[in-house]
Amino acid sequence: MVADNGDEPDDDNNKLTLHVPETSHQISTDSWFQAGFVLTTGINSVFVLGYSGTIMVPLGWVGGVVGLLLATAISLYANMLVAKLHEFDGKRHIRYRDLAGQIYGREAYYITWALQYVNLFMINIGYLILGGSALKAFYVLFNKEHTLKLPHFIAIEGVVCILFAISTPHLSSLRIWLGCSTVLSLIYIIVACVLATKDGLNAPPRDYTIHWTSTTSRIFSTIGASANLVFAFNTGMLPEIQATVRQPAVKNMLKALYFQFSVGVVPMYAVTFIGYWAYGSSTATYLLNSATGPLWVKASANISAFLQSVIALHIFASPAYEYLDTKFGITGSALKLQNIAFRILARGSYLTISTLVSAMLPFLGDFESLTGALSTFPLTFILANHMFLMAKKNKLSSLQQSWHWLNVGFFALMSVAATVTGIRLIIVDSKEYHIFADV
């Protein structure tokens, strides 16, 4: 990779030609360590319990390990590019769309906005499905009749998320909840690793063969798993998280990213590799469904995964909440009756729609693939490289410019291929399962 400097540009040509609103939420109040924990909460969220099945099973040992390492490196690099542009043109850009609009103009502002909210909406659907799956796994440990189905648990997850969203006004107010999230993550990750290790040591040789029904299936499965790889590491809302960081914002955000991509990735690697080692090609898309062990241990892990998904979802829904609060002028105390009523109506409506979609189409791996294709590739890799190229074009060598154009072209092709794959997977699964399926 070609090293790029983080100098601020003095090019005044590409100004944003529309009014950018201030925010009703807090900015410049958090340490880099808190931002690092926000990022680490995302990377080690309940989604990690699905990577053994959605990444390693379709890619195998070589493809999965090499793919995860490469995805880590290129994701760190792309996020660093975005972080260095936070103060482009001498102004802090607290939203992804603000930064894109400042560099490209009005149309890019709205296109980036649309991409980002598709990304975050799809991520929230994934959290609702996984949270519901964790709650269902907890339920079946104690009820063998299975009276309640997955859509019921997704609905319960949605209600809990609504209550949490009403009581937590903005991203910076998550402080104590980030500590809770870390503890919850450690519980289900440690339990999953220990139970999987025990099962792996006591099990006969596993089948690590990658099973495909046809060449077409092989191609689509590989592309879909590649989209899952980039989904694992990226938020699609880095400027919004960076906005909460105290000055110097660029330097502090880089520290947070180094923390995320060093210490933060270790638990994710551990549970992903150990899970696949233990169960091979039969690994479930929700790892705890493959694990065996004491009832109370599995119950504690499942309920921890459920609760952590609520906190993590709030992080990825916060840009939508910030937009609504700012749009309708919600200021002052979070405990004002008017502000509480607004959060009930606005956030309740947003999460009700998300919950309905999740319950209707609970195909987790498919949504990970489609999210990676539709928005993670464009936001994190294509846009990051091209924005940096446009903002620093007078300060980059021809080799550096060629490197960024190579990234733009490669990830554009990957985005198109992965979009087709993700849509195909959802169509295939929709034919196999009815809506509101108990998968």
Side-chain angles (χ1 to χ4, degrees):
M1 295 180 182
V2 180
D4 296 306
N5 62 65
D7 296 336
E8 294 305 317
D10 48 25
D11 187 340
D12 293 326
N13 293 331
N14 292 316
K15 299 293 185 181
L16 181 62
T17 57
L18 54 90
H19 172 66
V20 176
E22 297 300 326
T23 179
S24 294
H25 289 194
Q26 293 183 8
I27 61 171
S28 303
T29 58
D30 301 339
S31 66
W32 71 263
F33 193 62
Q34 179 167 333
F37 259 96
V38 170
L39 293 167
T40 301
T41 293
I43 207 172
N44 289 298
S45 68
V46 67
F47 273 113
V48 300
L49 296 177
Y51 295 151
S52 296
T54 60
I55 292 175
M56 298 301 294
V57 169
L59 294 179
W61 275 120
V62 175
V65 173
V66 173
L68 276 169
L69 292 175
L70 285 175
T72 303
I74 61 176
S75 298
L76 171 60
Y77 179 73
N79 279 281
M80 287 173 61
L81 296 181
V82 176
K84 290 177 180 179
L85 293 175
H86 187 69
E87 296 177 336
F88 171 72
D89 227 11
K91 176 184 177 182
R92 289 192 72 170
H93 302 284
I94 63 174
R95 306 174 187 91
Y96 212 132
R97 62 185 184 273
D98 297 352
L99 176 59
Q102 184 71 21
I103 294 174
Y104 300 114
R106 179 184 296 268
E107 289 184 2
Y109 177 90
Y110 291 111
I111 292 171
T112 304
W113 193 359
L115 280 174
Q116 186 182 37
Y117 280 95
V118 167
N119 181 64
L120 299 176
F121 182 74
M122 298 290 278
I123 290 174
N124 290 337
I125 286 176
Y127 278 122
L128 288 162
I129 294 171
L130 266 175
S133 298
L135 196 58
K136 178 190 173 184
F138 175 83
Y139 167 78
V140 299
L141 291 173
F142 302 98
N143 188 312
K144 303 304 180 184
E145 296 180 1
H146 300 186
T147 307
L148 297 178
K149 306 300 181 183
L150 179 58
H152 298 116
F153 295 105
I154 291 175
I156 295 171
E157 163 89 359
V159 171
V160 176
C161 287
I162 289 172
L163 294 175
F164 189 78
I166 293 169
S167 61
T168 311
H170 46 71
L171 197 57
S172 291
S173 62
L174 277 174
R175 286 185 177 86
I176 190 170
W177 292 111
L178 292 175
C180 294
S181 175
T182 301
V183 172
L184 294 169
S185 297
L186 287 174
I187 290 173
Y188 61 70
I189 288 174
I190 291 173
V191 167
C193 288
V194 170
L195 294 184
T197 301
K198 174 187 69 67
D199 289 345
L201 292 174
N202 296 327
R206 270 77 68 199
D207 175 20
Y208 297 111
T209 306
I210 304 173
H211 298 283
W212 297 297
T213 57
S214 65
T215 302
T216 301
S217 174
R218 174 180 182 175
I219 293 172
F220 280 116
S221 295
T222 302
I223 294 173
S226 300
N228 291 343
L229 281 171
V230 299
F231 172 84
F233 293 99
N234 298 287
T235 63
M237 52 174 285
L238 192 75
E240 285 80 0
I241 296 174
Q242 192 169 0
T244 68
V245 177
R246 293 193 289 264
Q247 292 285 12
V250 173
K251 183 181 292 186
N252 283 333
M253 196 62 198
L254 291 177
K255 289 181 182 178
L257 287 171
Y258 298 148
F259 180 82
Q260 176 195 9
F261 285 97
S262 56
V263 177
V265 299
V266 172
M268 189 204 73
Y269 281 168
V271 72
T272 301
F273 296 147
I274 291 174
Y276 183 61
W277 166 79
Y279 308 111
S281 59
S282 64
T283 308
T285 54
Y286 179 65
L287 184 59
L288 291 174
N289 285 341
S290 294
T292 61
L295 187 70
W296 70 270
V297 174
K298 291 190 67 175
S300 64
N302 282 309
I303 205 67
S304 296
F306 162 69
L307 294 172
Q308 199 276 343
S309 70
V310 175
I311 300 172
L313 183 147
H314 188 81
I315 293 174
F316 290 95
S318 61
Y321 301 158
E322 187 274 335
Y323 166 73
L324 292 170
D325 291 351
T326 302
K327 175 72 174 178
F328 292 96
I330 303 302
T331 58
S333 172
L335 299 179
K336 283 172 56 178
L337 185 59
Q338 177 186 353
N339 292 351
I340 294 174
F342 180 81
R343 290 200 298 274
I344 292 172
L345 177 62
R347 301 183 184 190
S349 299
Y350 174 81
L351 288 171
T352 297
I353 294 170
S354 302
T355 302
L356 180 61
V357 174
S358 304
M360 287 177 63
L361 300 169
F363 315 128
L364 177 64
D366 303 354
F367 277 107
E368 287 181 15
S369 298
L370 191 59
T371 302
L374 281 176
S375 47
T376 307
F377 276 125
L379 283 174
T380 305
F381 300 110
I382 301 171
L383 197 57
N385 277 277
H386 196 266
M387 284 196 306
F388 200 88
L389 186 64
M390 293 296 101
K392 310 283 187 177
K393 57 186 175 183
N394 296 328
K395 299 182 179 181
L396 298 178
S397 67
S398 58
L399 179 61
Q400 289 174 318
Q401 292 184 38
S402 298
W403 164 251
H404 288 296
W405 277 117
L406 178 65
N407 277 281
V408 170
F410 174 76
F411 288 113
L413 292 174
M414 285 295 296
S415 180
V416 172
T419 298
V420 174
T421 299
I423 293 172
R424 176 184 177 273
L425 286 171
I426 290 178
I427 291 173
V428 169
D429 282 340
S430 296
K431 291 179 179 177
E432 183 176 350
Y433 302 101
H434 57 79
I435 60 172
F436 297 107
D438 185 36
V439 298

